[in-house]
Amino acid sequence: MSITATELKQNLSKYLLMAEQEDVFITRNGKVVAKLTNPYQDRVDMAKSLFGILPKNMTIDEAHRERLGTYMNALIDTCIIIDALQSREPFSKDAEAVFMSVANRRCVGFLAANSITDIHYLMHKALHSSEETKKVLGILFSLFEILDTCGIDCRKALTSSIADYEDAVMVETAARAGIDCIVTRNMKDYVGAPMPVYSPAQFIELLYAEEE
C-alpha cells in the first residue's frame, strides 16, 4: 500500500495498525521516501500460514470421539485455534485477530497441553503427513506457550463447579499458572471460573482499550 506523507500525518494511528498486516510505503511528490513495516512480520507470516489449513468439516468433538509479565497472559481455548486453522465462518475473523495479537506480542497466548493432541489429530487427518503436521505444530509452538497440566489440577477439578471435567481441568491448570483470562467462544462452559472469560471479540477490544 502507498500513501502520501500528508495522509500519514492525518491518520497516523490508522496506518500504524495497517502496517501490522502489510508494508505501507510513504510517498512525497510521487516518490517513495519511507516505509512502515512490522518488526514482527515473521511471526505474522507464521500466523497467516495457518489460516484455513484445516478442512471445515473437522471438529474437536470428532477428535474426542475418534481418539478416545508485562503482557496479559491468556489461555486460548482449542476452538479458537481450530476456527483460525479452518477459516471457519463466521468465527474465523475474530479467531485470526487473536492469532495476530499473539503474533504482534500484544499478549502472551497459552495453549493447554491436552489440546495439542486434538489439534495434532485433526491436522494429521487433514494433511496425511506426519512431517507436515509437525511443521504446523512447530509454528503454533513458536507463537504460543504451552501450559502443562499437573496431577493437582486433575484432583481439584473433581470438586469444581464447572460441569465438564475437561473444562474444569483446564481452568484449574490456568488458575495454578496465574493465567489472567481465558479466551473462548463457549463462554457458558466456563461460568464459575476464577479468572475473567472473554469471547475473542471482547478480548481484542480489551487489548486495544489498554493501549489507548
Side-chain angles (χ1 to χ4, degrees), residues 1-4 6-24 26 36:
M1 168 181 288
S2 295
I3 60 171
T4 65
T6 301
E7 288 174 320
L8 176 65
K9 183 177 180 180
Q10 293 174 342
N11 297 281
L12 178 59
S13 60
K14 170 186 174 181
Y15 292 115
L16 286 176
L17 288 175
M18 293 181 69
E20 292 183 357
Q21 306 292 330
E22 60 179 310
D23 290 341
V24 178
I26 316 302
L36 293 178

Side-chain angles (χ1 to χ4, degrees), residues 1-208:
M1 168 181 288
S2 295
I3 60 171
T4 65
T6 301
E7 288 174 320
L8 176 65
K9 183 177 180 180
Q10 293 174 342
N11 297 281
L12 178 59
S13 60
K14 170 186 174 181
Y15 292 115
L16 286 176
L17 288 175
M18 293 181 69
E20 292 183 357
Q21 306 292 330
E22 60 179 310
D23 290 341
V24 178
F25 295 89
I26 316 302
T27 64
R28 179 176 294 160
N29 298 324
K31 295 182 178 180
V32 175
V33 295
K35 180 176 73 171
L36 293 178
T37 190
N38 188 345
Y40 305 120
Q41 190 60 48
D42 57 336
R43 292 171 58 82
V44 169
D45 289 341
M46 284 193 296
K48 285 183 175 181
S49 73
L50 299 177
F51 299 158
I53 200 169
L54 277 177
K56 294 179 173 58
N57 61 349
M58 288 186 172
T59 67
I60 302 172
D61 289 339
E62 177 185 354
H64 282 293
R65 287 193 303 269
E66 295 190 14
R67 188 175 54 83
L68 279 176
T70 57
Y71 296 103
M72 181 178 291
N73 293 325
L75 179 58
I76 312 301
D77 199 1
T78 315
C79 61
I80 307 301
I81 305 300
I82 300 303
D83 287 343
L85 295 180
Q86 289 185 322
S87 290
R88 180 193 295 169
E89 298 296 341
F91 309 113
S92 60
K93 181 178 179 181
D94 288 340
E96 291 172 8
V98 172
F99 264 72
M100 289 303 181
S101 294
V102 173
N104 283 303
R105 299 192 186 279
R106 281 197 165 89
C107 63
V108 180
F110 287 81
L111 301 179
N114 64 312
S115 72
I116 300 301
T117 52
D118 292 335
I119 296 170
H120 176 276
Y121 176 83
L122 294 176
M123 288 304 313
H124 191 271
K125 187 173 181 181
L127 299 177
H128 306 291
S129 168
S130 295
E131 289 305 314
E132 290 303 314
T133 299
K134 289 177 182 178
K135 286 181 182 179
V136 171
L137 290 181
I139 295 173
L140 283 175
F141 295 162
S142 296
L143 292 168
F144 296 89
E145 303 295 327
I146 307 302
L147 199 59
D148 293 327
T149 294
C150 298
I152 187 65
D153 305 322
C154 299
R155 288 192 287 272
K156 283 188 173 182
L158 291 174
T159 58
S160 172
S161 61
I162 295 173
D164 183 85
Y165 181 68
E166 186 173 0
D167 292 339
V169 170
M170 190 170 82
V171 169
E172 293 298 338
T173 301
R176 175 181 51 79
I179 294 297
D180 297 311
C181 66
I182 294 174
V183 182
T184 180
R185 58 178 170 81
N186 300 319
M187 298 177 66
K188 65 181 186 338
D189 294 343
Y190 297 96
V191 173
M195 69 286 294
V197 179
Y198 302 112
S199 70
Q202 290 172 334
F203 181 62
I204 297 303
E205 183 178 359
L206 176 66
L207 289 180
Y208 279 93

